[in-house]
Each structure stands twice: as structure tokens, then as C-alpha cells.
Amino acid sequence: MSISFRLTSGMTKALLGDDIEAFRPETSATALLGDRFYFSGLYTAPVEGWHSGVRLTVRVRSALRRSITVYRVEQVPVRIPFYPNRTDDDYLLRGPGLVPDVLRESRVVLVQGGLLQQLLFEVRVPADAAPGCYPITVSLVDDTGKQVVKQTLTLEVLDAVLPKQELRVAEWFHCDCLATYYRTKVFSERHWRLIETYMKTAVDTGINCILTPVFTPPLDTAVGGERPTVQLVDVTLQNGVYSFGFDKLKRFCEVCRRAGAAELEIAHFFTQWGAEHAPKIMATVDGTYRRLFGWDTDSTGPEYVAFLRTFIPELKKKLDEYGFAGHYYFHISDEPSERHQEKYTAARNAIWDLISDHPVRDALASYAFYASGMVQHPIVATNYAGEFVENDVPDLWLYYCCGQDRK
């Protein structure tokens, strides 16, 4: 069998039509005790005689082999790899195509002629491993056990332990998406199992702040539209008096603690891009379950402000009781701009005395908005971070989403 195979960087992103010779081989590397080290394996074969493909098995030989996971890198279709006329030389594609994305834990590969395919190897170096050099030999073998190709990388484990991660990392954890994707009832037992499984994976990959939907997060929602309800706090309004049920929030906090989440990110109290309305809040009103607040609610109207001023002290008391005292933060509205300053300021000031004893963080791009004092803990888009960095803004967080698409 004529197969080309080489080990290379774990940062490699190989397209199916790439030339294997364009990727620099990697034969040695270093890691710390307790570290995670990644490297890739690229393989390809000539077109002739390989149309249907040949199945081979990945074999790993190393003293660290029990700490090594093998993933097959699968390609996914991307229709719009960049916005029209907004690109630079770092994009993998110049038009629609297939790009490496999904990792499947597998030691079986299908070698198909003319296609460059990829494996990813994750080495979780034991914290108690003996420092020294560990050869890792990767081979592809056929059904008879015959070795077809092999390559070796030597990993030097240094005599130092990887320090504990101290950064705070948040990537929005959307419980409603899990329910929708798996077609399961929100907060059914299956949904809770999915939440815990995904949360453990999130924490394992470095996310340690979890978006907590005390009410359905008012994020990325068309005006007048709704996300599926994932409200952790039950609201009752009886004869004009509010009461709250926190059983689901308590369970969510227990899941977060088991998963190892460090902090809770309480969902925004006002709608995105301007703080003009209330999030969707469902309640049992005089015996009838219905939507109490939403797009038709003025964010600074007396009814909603009175609700928040009743709710927030109860929420804080429960979050402290459930093990997160001093480890949660609040949001007003996501991505306000200077044209929203008046409404944002009014919404913020309506509840500021109730939440200012905790960090209140909001994503924004304008330094002038920060300088006004309305956002004391900014989360700044990376392409606007320069002015914040130059002015030594304390407790500066950074974020990126889809507008950060060049350089």
C-alpha cells in the first residue's frame, strides 16, 4: 500500500484537497505535568486504485498510551465562510466548501485516494508522571495486523506542574438548544441529564462561567420572537403579590458544582442591543400560567422595575445559599452602543443599588460608553480592545463573536 503519513502540529487544519507536503512534520515537543498536549496525524494515498477506500486501524505505542485519546477529524459543509467583501489571507476557504471541525473518538480510518485526512491525538499527561522523554509511535495497520506506515513523536515531560487556570472563560451555555436539538421536554429528567453531561464537557474544555437562565436569556432573538422557555425560577403573582419557587435553580446550581463550574453568569435582566424591553418571563397569575413580561414590556416601566426589585434580593439570597456566594455576576443588556446610552442608563439605575455589590459585566465596543461610568466591568470586542488596553482598564474581559472577522 502506498500511503503518505506524517505527524504534525495539533493546530493543523487540513482541507481534503491540501498537499501533505505543505505541513511541517513534528517529531518532538514538550509538555508539563498535568498538561494536555495535542498533535495531528495526516494521511493520504494516490488516487489510482483507492476509489472505494481502505479501512485501517490506528495503533499507538507509548508508555503514555493510557492517557492518549485518538480522534478522527471530520469535515463539515460551510456555505458562508466569511461575510461578502470581509476577509483576509488567514481564511482557509475562498468560497463554500468542507472544513475540519467535528472530532469523533475512533481508531478506525478510511483511506480514500486523493483526499488528505486528519487524526487528532490528545495526550493528558498525568500529574504524577515521571519527568522525562516519552516516544509516542503511531502506526496504521490493516485487517491482518500488518503495519502499513508509522511515525514517532517524542514528548518531553518537564519537571513542573501546569498551574491552575485562573482566567474566567464564558461561552454561552444554552439549555434551550439542548432541549430543541434532542427533542426533549425542557427540564425533563432527560434534559437534566443532557445539561449535566454537556456542562461537564464545557468545564473539561476550559469553560468555567455558566450562563444561568433564571429567566429565558434575551439573547440573539428577533424582536417579537421567543426562544423556548428555560426559566429556572417559578414566578407566582397572586392578588398583586409576587412569590418565587427556586427548586430548579437549586438543582442547576448542584449540577454546576458537580461539573466544577467556578462562577454563574446570571442571564441579562433586559433585552439585547439597547435594554428597551424585558426578557420573556412566564408566571402563574391568579391561577393562570402565562407570559407576564416580554417584548411588549417597557424595561423601565413601573411594573417591571417593581418586579425586579422584589425578585433580585430573593435571587441573591438563594444563590448564596446554593454555594455560589461571591461567585456570580450580573448583566444589564448585551452589546449596548452609545445611541442606547439613555435607555441603558435608566435600566441600570433602576436596579443598581441591588446588584452593584457584585460585578456587573456587559459586552460593548465603545470606550466612550465605558468612560461614562455606566459599565464598570466591560467585556470588550477584541477589535475594539486597543483603547481599553491603552487606558489600563481594570478587570478587562475580551470577547469575540462574528463581527471580529478580520486580522
Side-chain angles (χ1 to χ4, degrees):
M1 294 182 180
S2 176
I3 296 177
S4 297
F5 181 61
R6 70 174 50 179
L7 303 181
T8 186
S9 166
M11 297 295 289
T12 296
K13 300 177 180 68
L15 301 179
L16 293 174
D18 285 345
D19 181 356
I20 194 170
E21 297 298 327
F23 297 91
R24 182 173 62 85
E26 186 165 281
T27 58
S28 63
T30 60
L32 299 177
L33 296 167
D35 205 347
R36 296 188 196 182
F37 172 71
Y38 296 86
F39 64 98
S40 294
L42 302 179
Y43 57 96
T44 188
V47 174
E48 294 78 11
W50 292 81
H51 299 293
S52 60
V54 173
R55 295 173 67 87
L56 299 174
T57 300
V58 183
R59 178 181 293 164
V60 179
R61 297 187 184 277
S62 174
L64 294 172
R65 67 185 181 280
R66 295 184 183 277
S67 303
I68 299 175
T69 304
V70 182
Y71 298 97
R72 189 175 68 242
V73 182
E74 295 188 355
Q75 309 280 325
V76 300
V78 174
R79 295 176 178 84
I80 306 175
F82 50 80
Y83 296 128
N85 303 318
R86 292 182 61 86
T87 183
D88 59 28
D89 292 338
D90 289 329
Y91 280 79
L92 294 176
L93 296 179
R94 307 249 62 86
L98 297 172
V99 296
D101 183 70
V102 178
L103 301 179
R104 302 286 187 197
E105 190 172 336
S106 175
R107 289 176 179 257
V108 177
V109 300
L110 182 67
V111 184
Q112 294 178 287
L115 300 180
L116 181 61
Q117 294 167 273
Q118 182 175 355
L119 297 164
L120 185 72
F121 300 86
E122 178 185 46
V123 186
R124 298 196 178 206
V125 182
D128 59 354
C133 291
Y134 291 85
I136 302 172
T137 298
V138 180
S139 57
L140 301 181
V141 301
D142 63 18
D143 291 340
T144 68
K146 179 183 177 182
Q147 178 178 281
V148 179
V149 289
K150 76 170 182 177
Q151 294 287 333
T152 298
L153 178 146
T154 299
L155 182 64
E156 181 183 2
V157 177
L158 305 179
D159 190 11
V161 178
L162 180 71
K164 182 181 179 181
Q165 168 65 283
E166 295 182 354
L167 290 174
R168 289 291 177 254
V169 181
E171 295 190 29
W172 284 341
F173 188 96
H174 284 302
C175 297
D176 60 317
C177 294
L178 293 176
T180 299
Y181 183 81
Y182 287 99
R183 300 181 182 180
T184 191
K185 184 180 178 182
V186 169
F187 299 136
S188 63
E189 287 304 311
R190 182 172 183 237
H191 190 212
W192 279 112
R193 288 194 298 272
L194 288 164
I195 289 171
E196 183 154 1
T197 298
Y198 271 78
M199 196 179 297
K200 287 178 178 177
T201 299
V203 172
D204 185 59
T205 56
I207 297 168
N208 50 28
C209 299
I210 299 296
L211 180 64
T212 303
V214 292
F215 304 123
T216 302
L219 299 169
D220 301 314
T221 307
V223 174
E226 292 187 354
R227 298 183 75 109
T229 301
V230 281
Q231 182 174 313
L232 288 171
V233 178
D234 295 323
V235 178
T236 300
L237 179 59
Q238 188 72 30
N239 298 322
V241 178
Y242 287 110
S243 60
F244 306 102
F246 291 98
D247 289 349
K248 290 192 287 293
L249 178 62
K250 180 181 180 181
R251 185 168 182 177
F252 190 85
C253 289
E254 290 170 348
V255 170
C256 289
R257 289 203 308 274
R258 284 196 298 269
E263 291 193 359
L264 304 182
E265 163 181 26
I266 306 305
H268 303 66
F269 288 127
F270 304 94
T271 52
Q272 197 171 23
W273 305 311
E276 295 182 354
H277 304 280
K280 177 177 68 172
I281 296 177
M282 304 298 293
T284 301
V285 181
D286 295 325
T288 301
Y289 184 70
R290 64 176 178 83
R291 183 171 57 78
L292 181 62
F293 300 115
W295 286 109
D296 54 353
T297 304
D298 181 359
S299 60
T300 55
E303 290 186 1
Y304 185 55
V305 170
F307 167 81
L308 288 179
R309 295 194 64 82
T310 304
F311 168 69
I312 289 172
E314 295 295 315
L315 171 65
K316 291 166 62 178
K317 184 167 63 177
K318 291 300 182 181
L319 291 172
D320 293 349
E321 178 184 326
Y322 299 155
F324 284 91
H327 294 284
Y328 55 90
Y329 58 92
F330 294 113
H331 295 296
I332 301 295
S333 172
D334 189 57
E335 295 183 324
S337 66
E338 290 179 63
R339 64 189 176 89
H340 304 131
Q341 189 158 345
E342 181 178 352
K343 196 66 173 181
Y344 180 94
T345 300
R348 169 202 186 269
N349 289 346
I351 57 173
W352 184 248
D353 60 312
L354 301 178
I355 62 176
S356 58
D357 56 343
H358 286 73
V360 180
R361 310 185 192 279
D362 275 325
L364 73 164
S366 167
Y367 182 79
F369 198 108
Y370 165 75
S372 73
M374 287 301 101
V375 178
Q376 296 180 355
H377 301 274
I379 305 174
V380 181
T382 54
N383 52 325
Y384 291 99
E387 193 170 3
F388 291 81
V389 174
E390 291 166 4
N391 284 279
D392 295 321
V393 172
D395 190 33
L396 180 62
W397 287 35
L398 300 178
Y399 83 99
Y400 63 92
C401 53
C402 46
Q404 293 64 53
D405 53 9
R406 284 180 290 182
K407 299 184 180 180

